Amino acid sequence: MLEIKVVNRGHQQLPAYATPLSAGMDLRANLDEPVVLRPLERRLIKTGLFIALPPGYEAQVRPRSGLALKHGITVINTPGTIDADYRGEVGVCLINLSQEEFVVNDGERIAQMVIARHEQAEFVVVEELDETERGAGGYGHTGVK
């Protein structure tokens, strides 16, 4: 199991996996008072957590499906990326895509965080690319089957 150093300056429990096969851990709002999200309003919601990821890893902040389906609340920059060298507080950029106000309460599960390995790449300039069956076909190119 990968170990991640964390400082919890909030008053919420640490993120944890809900089941043995869960990919994401729930992030909770760490608030002094409830935050009202009006329709189409976006706000940065703090978690009280500061993490140090190992090199080669990122934390992806993703919406919670229940909030999205039931209330139209999602993460606007999904997935949000937390880099291994970031040491600030983990925040979640929530947006209300519904037509009703939504109240974010202290301790509410607002997003999920997935820890993922990544690679860094270097671009190499060439004169042309190799041929593929798809070629330059883009959006909708493969059609409906």
Side-chain angles (χ1 to χ4, degrees):
M1 175 124 355
L2 181 68
E3 290 186 5
I4 298 173
K5 294 177 183 173
V6 60
V7 172
N8 188 355
R9 293 199 180 132
H11 50 271
Q12 306 303 333
Q13 64 193 44
L14 291 178
Y17 296 103
T19 68
L21 298 179
S22 293
M25 300 174 266
D26 286 329
L27 291 173
R28 296 178 181 270
N30 190 69
L31 303 170
D32 294 327
E33 58 188 38
V35 172
V36 177
L37 278 175
R38 295 184 310 274
L40 298 179
E41 184 179 16
R42 61 189 179 274
R43 296 278 296 270
L44 181 64
I45 307 296
K46 301 291 186 157
T47 65
L49 302 173
F50 299 74
I51 62 175
L53 294 163
Y57 286 87
E58 67 165 325
Q60 299 173 358
V61 179
R62 301 177 180 185
R64 291 194 67 244
S65 57
L67 280 180
L69 178 63
K70 296 174 187 173
H71 303 287
I73 304 300
T74 190
V75 177
I76 194 165
N77 62 324
T78 188
T81 295
I82 301 169
D83 294 309
D85 57 353
Y86 177 68
R87 294 297 182 267
E89 184 173 359
V90 173
V92 178
C93 299
L94 289 183
I95 188 168
N96 181 354
L97 296 178
S98 78
Q99 296 180 12
E100 299 175 6
E101 288 186 346
F102 180 80
V103 178
V104 180
N105 291 299
D106 183 49
E108 186 160 1
R109 296 177 299 157
I110 55 171
Q112 56 182 326
M113 181 171 62
V114 174
I115 306 300
R117 184 182 291 272
H118 71 82
E119 298 289 333
Q120 286 191 329
E122 179 180 344
F123 285 103
V124 177
V125 177
V126 297
E127 294 299 319
E128 59 185 50
L129 302 176
D130 58 312
E131 296 288 327
T132 66
E133 183 178 334
R134 181 175 181 173
Y139 297 97
H141 174 73
T142 57
V144 178
K145 295 181 182 185

